[in-house]
Amino acid sequence: MDYISNTIDDQKEMLKVINIKDIKELFSCIPKELKPKSFNIPEGKSEFEVRKYLYELSGKNSTHLISFLGGGFYDHYIPVAVDAITGRSEFYTSYTPYQPEASQGVLRSIFEYQSAVCRLTEMDVSNSSLYDGGTALYEAAMMSTRITGRKKIIVDEGVNPIYRKMLRTYTSNLSLELVEIPALDGVVDRKKILSEINDSVSAVVLQNPNFFGGIDDYTDIFEQVHKFKGIGILSFYPLSLGILKTPGEMGADIAVAEGQSLGIPLSFGGPYLGVIATKLKYVREMPGRIVGSTVDNKGRRGYVLTLQTREQHIRRERATSNICSNETLCAIRALVYCTLIGKEGIKEAANLCLAKSEYTKNRLMQIKNLKIKFSTPTFNEFVIELPKDAADLISTLIEKGFAAGFPLGRYYKGMEKCLLVALTEKRTKEEIGCFAEALEASI
């Protein structure tokens, strides 16, 4: 709402219209116990003082740390052109328009984003984005219940614990049965999950690479799910698809992801990007909006909001979601990033992540009393087991200039000495060497 200034005379005139003496009388209906005790607000600060104060506050952040922190969000390099292009006013102020066909530029950018997601995942259709990876996973789970009419969802413990917590929270008032299957030595307990799949199961939710960094091929599990007409949901790490098997290749029915690795800077609390894609036959159960391409009556190509099963556009009881707002600016950043580095660039970045992770793993294995927790193949993230509490260790290493990793004891009982370490293409050999030396000196 715009600020509207009122002079003393304006206020007197308004009070006269509503027939009261003063402002105090205007609020006389509020019980005394509910009124503020005082309006003694400190004097305002000058612009100079405010800027100085805020700079002092921001200086308390440890922004200089060399990051080995992952767990779903990664310190990838973002080409400067991503900021330059998405900073243009036509993108920077974009939102899915309410008079959509009048905004062909925004619609085309969303269409291209959807196309990029489909090419990356080898799925049929993508929507115009969701809030983040966790909400995308929740939406996929709800899609499965609408498609199958069943209430039981099996979730592997290797799925990001934050996503699992969000799933439990969002569905706490729904009559769903969430069954979490503990991981076995850092990978999915295949035998256990396969034995749990039957005709009462709506979906099986898996993640690749999983939260411990382990990579897997879930084709056999999705085949088993399909035998019982259930839905296979795969949470994936977008940049890893440069070298790993895609959700489409594995036979997943719904693919979801946190899109931060595609050109979106790290930020505590976001905004981030929820990616979701599915098979064409399930498109009408997909939340949010889908932009399509068509031609007008003169044969000219145009873009339209083709499907928008949200409560603003159809009857509430038929809406697929109440949290289906898209994040256009983040989606455009992902599109620009993918376009700039291209198919080969994504492969190169993924290979660099893998190579640096393997180099670091081998380097850390030389440290006495430290071991690699699991033997499963990994992409760019792996678990190390320390002789001391991992949470205490990361505090020590912060003082030495490193964000050392994610302590797993926070979410996995019995893994208090385990640390999840992540590598990206940005980490240099020198940084890795210094990290290893600092780690060795701290345990």
Side-chain angles (χ1 to χ4, degrees), residues 415-427:
M415 297 185 75
E416 287 74 18
K417 295 181 179 179
C418 293
L419 188 67
L420 184 66
V421 178
L423 277 294
T424 69
E425 72 282 6
K426 286 179 67 176
R427 297 289 72 84

Side-chain angles (χ1 to χ4, degrees), residues 180-192:
E180 293 195 5
I181 306 295
L184 186 63
D185 294 327
V187 294
V188 62
D189 188 341
R190 203 168 231 93
K191 188 176 179 181
K192 176 70 174 172

